[in-house]
Amino acid sequence: MAAHITAAAKGGKRFNPHLTKEERRSAENGIWLCQIHAKLVDDAPERFTVELLNEWKRLSEQAARLEIEELDKGLPARQAADIEALKVYAGAFDRSAFKDHFHAEMSMSAFDQAIRDTVIALSTGTLRDRDGNVISQSIGRSTLENRSWREKIGTVIDLLNTIVRRFEIAAASGAIEIHGRGRELETYCINDRELGHWMDATRSEALKLFAEVLAEAGLDPLPFVPFRHFPRW
């Protein structure tokens, strides 16, 4: 609570008759105290003198100033960590699962794994290659300092997890028939035309959100055009 160092009116604690009305009401004559100490200070004015209260105020303001300065010093480092994390995340999108139309994927197993790997990269900051080897390590989405980026990346993760679940349902229901799953020569048949449109639209939304984050961070856009066009034979 706001308290006066010298009383606001004659008869109050530590009243200074030499101050003007404006000076008594000014911030220079005020100090923030908790309710308990505000009462204690007025109950024992001989103990809590004007000089002591001014010293309290000076020390508190100095401590607050130092804390702010330390936060300012640390801010560039935290921002730099966010930027480096975004660069790692961007590498997770540099796979055919985010470049080709769903019906043009070479391997459905590779598509499924790429989406899952991207979720892991965004969530943990660990980027792996197709063989599972760690190629980059940074901070995960929950550790990002920038709240807006953290929320947008969280939405991207939600969209990708939805793709994973939809893919599992499609494979289990026969909407996608996969033969030789996981083998070098894998074939598939998509029996649900709308599934491909949904996959493309959902990935587009995820890429759009991530592109917004890259732009806000002043980073280059993803170095590829999503959903490359392949001629139909």
Side-chain angles (χ1 to χ4, degrees), residues 4 7-8 16 21 34 98 126 131 150 166 178 187 190 201 211 229 231:
H4 286 89
N16 184 349
K21 183 178 179 180
C34 70
F98 296 100
T126 302
D131 297 322
R150 192 166 63 242
R166 183 73 183 270
I178 305 173
T187 60
I190 301 174
H229 175 71

PDB file of all heavy atoms in Angstrom, residues 4 7-8 16 21 34 98 126 131 150 166 178 187 190 201 211 229 231:
ATOM      1  N   HIS A   4       2.765   7.596   3.275  1.00  0.00           N
ATOM      2  CA  HIS A   4       3.521   8.845   3.309  1.00  0.00           C
ATOM      3  C   HIS A   4       4.775   8.660   4.167  1.00  0.00           C
ATOM      4  O   HIS A   4       4.721   8.029   5.217  1.00  0.00           O
ATOM      5  CB  HIS A   4       2.671   9.974   3.907  1.00  0.00           C
ATOM      6  CG  HIS A   4       1.610  10.476   2.987  1.00  0.00           C
ATOM      7  ND1 HIS A   4       0.342   9.920   2.945  1.00  0.00           N
ATOM      8  CD2 HIS A   4       1.639  11.483   2.067  1.00  0.00           C
ATOM      9  CE1 HIS A   4      -0.372  10.573   2.039  1.00  0.00           C
ATOM     10  NE2 HIS A   4       0.385  11.532   1.498  1.00  0.00           N
ATOM     11  N   ALA A   7       3.924  13.033   7.145  1.00  0.00           N
ATOM     12  CA  ALA A   7       2.463  13.053   7.160  1.00  0.00           C
ATOM     13  C   ALA A   7       1.865  14.000   6.129  1.00  0.00           C
ATOM     14  O   ALA A   7       2.458  15.038   5.787  1.00  0.00           O
ATOM     15  CB  ALA A   7       1.960  13.433   8.550  1.00  0.00           C
ATOM     16  N   ALA A   8       0.682  13.640   5.653  1.00  0.00           N
ATOM     17  CA  ALA A   8      -0.015  14.456   4.660  1.00  0.00           C
ATOM     18  C   ALA A   8      -0.660  15.681   5.284  1.00  0.00           C
ATOM     19  O   ALA A   8      -0.966  16.650   4.588  1.00  0.00           O
ATOM     20  CB  ALA A   8      -1.071  13.607   3.952  1.00  0.00           C
ATOM     21  N   ASN A  16       6.122  17.391   8.393  1.00  0.00           N
ATOM     22  CA  ASN A  16       7.154  18.388   8.104  1.00  0.00           C
ATOM     23  C   ASN A  16       6.462  19.681   7.667  1.00  0.00           C
ATOM     24  O   ASN A  16       5.937  19.772   6.559  1.00  0.00           O
ATOM     25  CB  ASN A  16       8.076  17.889   7.001  1.00  0.00           C
ATOM     26  CG  ASN A  16       9.227  18.842   6.724  1.00  0.00           C
ATOM     27  OD1 ASN A  16       9.242  19.976   7.216  1.00  0.00           O
ATOM     28  ND2 ASN A  16      10.191  18.396   5.934  1.00  0.00           N
ATOM     29  N   LYS A  21       1.897  21.702   0.093  1.00  0.00           N
ATOM     30  CA  LYS A  21       0.863  20.690  -0.088  1.00  0.00           C
ATOM     31  C   LYS A  21       1.221  19.759  -1.239  1.00  0.00           C
ATOM     32  O   LYS A  21       1.019  18.536  -1.161  1.00  0.00           O
ATOM     33  CB  LYS A  21      -0.480  21.375  -0.353  1.00  0.00           C
ATOM     34  CG  LYS A  21      -1.648  20.418  -0.492  1.00  0.00           C
ATOM     35  CD  LYS A  21      -2.947  21.193  -0.703  1.00  0.00           C
ATOM     36  CE  LYS A  21      -4.130  20.230  -0.871  1.00  0.00           C
ATOM     37  NZ  LYS A  21      -5.400  20.963  -1.074  1.00  0.00           N
ATOM     38  N   CYS A  34       3.991  -2.954   2.859  1.00  0.00           N
ATOM     39  CA  CYS A  34       2.892  -3.902   3.067  1.00  0.00           C
ATOM     40  C   CYS A  34       1.996  -3.350   4.181  1.00  0.00           C
ATOM     41  O   CYS A  34       2.370  -2.433   4.924  1.00  0.00           O
ATOM     42  CB  CYS A  34       3.429  -5.279   3.445  1.00  0.00           C
ATOM     43  SG  CYS A  34       4.172  -5.351   5.083  1.00  0.00           S
ATOM     44  N   PHE A  98       6.446 -32.637 -46.451  1.00  0.00           N
ATOM     45  CA  PHE A  98       5.945 -31.271 -46.448  1.00  0.00           C
ATOM     46  C   PHE A  98       6.142 -30.584 -47.799  1.00  0.00           C
ATOM     47  O   PHE A  98       5.942 -29.371 -47.908  1.00  0.00           O
ATOM     48  CB  PHE A  98       6.644 -30.457 -45.354  1.00  0.00           C
ATOM     49  CG  PHE A  98       6.353 -30.957 -43.974  1.00  0.00           C
ATOM     50  CD1 PHE A  98       7.259 -31.755 -43.306  1.00  0.00           C
ATOM     51  CD2 PHE A  98       5.147 -30.659 -43.357  1.00  0.00           C
ATOM     52  CE1 PHE A  98       6.991 -32.226 -42.031  1.00  0.00           C
ATOM     53  CE2 PHE A  98       4.864 -31.133 -42.085  1.00  0.00           C
ATOM     54  CZ  PHE A  98       5.781 -31.920 -41.421  1.00  0.00           C
ATOM     55  N   THR A 126      14.962 -31.817 -30.588  1.00  0.00           N
ATOM     56  CA  THR A 126      15.870 -32.842 -31.117  1.00  0.00           C
ATOM     57  C   THR A 126      15.496 -33.179 -32.552  1.00  0.00           C
ATOM     58  O   THR A 126      14.397 -33.675 -32.810  1.00  0.00           O
ATOM     59  CB  THR A 126      15.813 -34.123 -30.261  1.00  0.00           C
ATOM     60  OG1 THR A 126      16.155 -33.807 -28.911  1.00  0.00           O
ATOM     61  CG2 THR A 126      16.789 -35.164 -30.801  1.00  0.00           C
ATOM     62  N   ASP A 131      17.299 -42.062 -40.373  1.00  0.00           N
ATOM     63  CA  ASP A 131      17.763 -43.278 -39.697  1.00  0.00           C
ATOM     64  C   ASP A 131      17.709 -43.163 -38.176  1.00  0.00           C
ATOM     65  O   ASP A 131      18.134 -44.078 -37.469  1.00  0.00           O
ATOM     66  CB  ASP A 131      19.202 -43.599 -40.127  1.00  0.00           C
ATOM     67  CG  ASP A 131      19.284 -43.899 -41.618  1.00  0.00           C
ATOM     68  OD1 ASP A 131      18.355 -44.552 -42.135  1.00  0.00           O
ATOM     69  OD2 ASP A 131      20.266 -43.469 -42.257  1.00  0.00           O
ATOM     70  N   ARG A 150       5.694 -19.558 -29.042  1.00  0.00           N
ATOM     71  CA  ARG A 150       5.416 -20.788 -28.295  1.00  0.00           C
ATOM     72  C   ARG A 150       3.991 -21.284 -28.579  1.00  0.00           C
ATOM     73  O   ARG A 150       3.771 -22.481 -28.788  1.00  0.00           O
ATOM     74  CB  ARG A 150       5.612 -20.517 -26.798  1.00  0.00           C
ATOM     75  CG  ARG A 150       5.636 -21.769 -25.943  1.00  0.00           C
ATOM     76  CD  ARG A 150       6.171 -21.456 -24.558  1.00  0.00           C
ATOM     77  NE  ARG A 150       5.325 -20.531 -23.831  1.00  0.00           N
ATOM     78  CZ  ARG A 150       5.703 -19.330 -23.409  1.00  0.00           C
ATOM     79  NH1 ARG A 150       6.925 -18.881 -23.652  1.00  0.00           N
ATOM     80  NH2 ARG A 150       4.877 -18.542 -22.733  1.00  0.00           N
ATOM     81  N   ARG A 166      -5.215 -39.201 -37.979  1.00  0.00           N
ATOM     82  CA  ARG A 166      -6.034 -39.431 -39.182  1.00  0.00           C
ATOM     83  C   ARG A 166      -5.392 -40.495 -40.060  1.00  0.00           C
ATOM     84  O   ARG A 166      -6.085 -41.331 -40.652  1.00  0.00           O
ATOM     85  CB  ARG A 166      -6.181 -38.112 -39.956  1.00  0.00           C
ATOM     86  CG  ARG A 166      -7.071 -38.201 -41.203  1.00  0.00           C
ATOM     87  CD  ARG A 166      -8.536 -38.324 -40.870  1.00  0.00           C
ATOM     88  NE  ARG A 166      -9.358 -38.480 -42.048  1.00  0.00           N
ATOM     89  CZ  ARG A 166      -9.900 -37.468 -42.734  1.00  0.00           C
ATOM     90  NH1 ARG A 166      -9.706 -36.213 -42.333  1.00  0.00           N
ATOM     91  NH2 ARG A 166     -10.645 -37.694 -43.808  1.00  0.00           N
ATOM     92  N   ILE A 178      -1.747 -50.140 -47.777  1.00  0.00           N
ATOM     93  CA  ILE A 178      -0.287 -50.084 -47.891  1.00  0.00           C
ATOM     94  C   ILE A 178       0.251 -51.509 -47.991  1.00  0.00           C
ATOM     95  O   ILE A 178      -0.039 -52.356 -47.142  1.00  0.00           O
ATOM     96  CB  ILE A 178       0.332 -49.377 -46.668  1.00  0.00           C
ATOM     97  CG1 ILE A 178      -0.285 -47.983 -46.488  1.00  0.00           C
ATOM     98  CG2 ILE A 178       1.848 -49.263 -46.826  1.00  0.00           C
ATOM     99  CD1 ILE A 178       0.144 -47.280 -45.230  1.00  0.00           C
ATOM    100  N   THR A 187       4.205 -50.074 -51.875  1.00  0.00           N
ATOM    101  CA  THR A 187       3.144 -49.569 -52.739  1.00  0.00           C
ATOM    102  C   THR A 187       1.920 -49.267 -51.889  1.00  0.00           C
ATOM    103  O   THR A 187       1.754 -49.804 -50.786  1.00  0.00           O
ATOM    104  CB  THR A 187       2.770 -50.585 -53.828  1.00  0.00           C
ATOM    105  OG1 THR A 187       2.315 -51.801 -53.208  1.00  0.00           O
ATOM    106  CG2 THR A 187       3.966 -50.887 -54.719  1.00  0.00           C
ATOM    107  N   ILE A 190      -4.811 -45.154 -52.339  1.00  0.00           N
ATOM    108  CA  ILE A 190      -5.663 -44.263 -51.548  1.00  0.00           C
ATOM    109  C   ILE A 190      -7.099 -44.435 -52.044  1.00  0.00           C
ATOM    110  O   ILE A 190      -7.419 -44.073 -53.178  1.00  0.00           O
ATOM    111  CB  ILE A 190      -5.221 -42.797 -51.681  1.00  0.00           C
ATOM    112  CG1 ILE A 190      -3.768 -42.636 -51.222  1.00  0.00           C
ATOM    113  CG2 ILE A 190      -6.129 -41.874 -50.872  1.00  0.00           C
ATOM    114  CD1 ILE A 190      -3.194 -41.249 -51.445  1.00  0.00           C
ATOM    115  N   ALA A 201      -4.485 -29.851 -47.009  1.00  0.00           N
ATOM    116  CA  ALA A 201      -4.994 -28.633 -46.379  1.00  0.00           C
ATOM    117  C   ALA A 201      -4.462 -28.482 -44.956  1.00  0.00           C
ATOM    118  O   ALA A 201      -4.092 -27.377 -44.525  1.00  0.00           O
ATOM    119  CB  ALA A 201      -6.519 -28.648 -46.373  1.00  0.00           C
ATOM    120  N   ALA A 211       5.510 -20.518 -40.999  1.00  0.00           N
ATOM    121  CA  ALA A 211       6.067 -19.440 -41.826  1.00  0.00           C
ATOM    122  C   ALA A 211       5.868 -18.084 -41.152  1.00  0.00           C
ATOM    123  O   ALA A 211       6.733 -17.206 -41.243  1.00  0.00           O
ATOM    124  CB  ALA A 211       5.414 -19.448 -43.204  1.00  0.00           C
ATOM    125  N   HIS A 229       4.392 -29.690 -57.822  1.00  0.00           N
ATOM    126  CA  HIS A 229       3.505 -30.274 -58.827  1.00  0.00           C
ATOM    127  C   HIS A 229       4.247 -31.368 -59.601  1.00  0.00           C
ATOM    128  O   HIS A 229       5.358 -31.182 -60.070  1.00  0.00           O
ATOM    129  CB  HIS A 229       3.033 -29.212 -59.805  1.00  0.00           C
ATOM    130  CG  HIS A 229       2.216 -29.760 -60.919  1.00  0.00           C
ATOM    131  ND1 HIS A 229       0.942 -30.237 -60.746  1.00  0.00           N
ATOM    132  CD2 HIS A 229       2.505 -29.916 -62.239  1.00  0.00           C
ATOM    133  CE1 HIS A 229       0.484 -30.669 -61.907  1.00  0.00           C
ATOM    134  NE2 HIS A 229       1.408 -30.487 -62.826  1.00  0.00           N
ATOM    135  N   PRO A 231       3.716 -34.022 -62.829  1.00  0.00           N
ATOM    136  CA  PRO A 231       2.821 -34.329 -63.955  1.00  0.00           C
ATOM    137  C   PRO A 231       2.193 -35.704 -63.800  1.00  0.00           C
ATOM    138  O   PRO A 231       2.820 -36.627 -63.308  1.00  0.00           O
ATOM    139  CB  PRO A 231       3.748 -34.282 -65.182  1.00  0.00           C
ATOM    140  CG  PRO A 231       5.110 -34.567 -64.627  1.00  0.00           C
ATOM    141  CD  PRO A 231       5.134 -33.965 -63.254  1.00  0.00           C
TER     142      PRO A 231
END
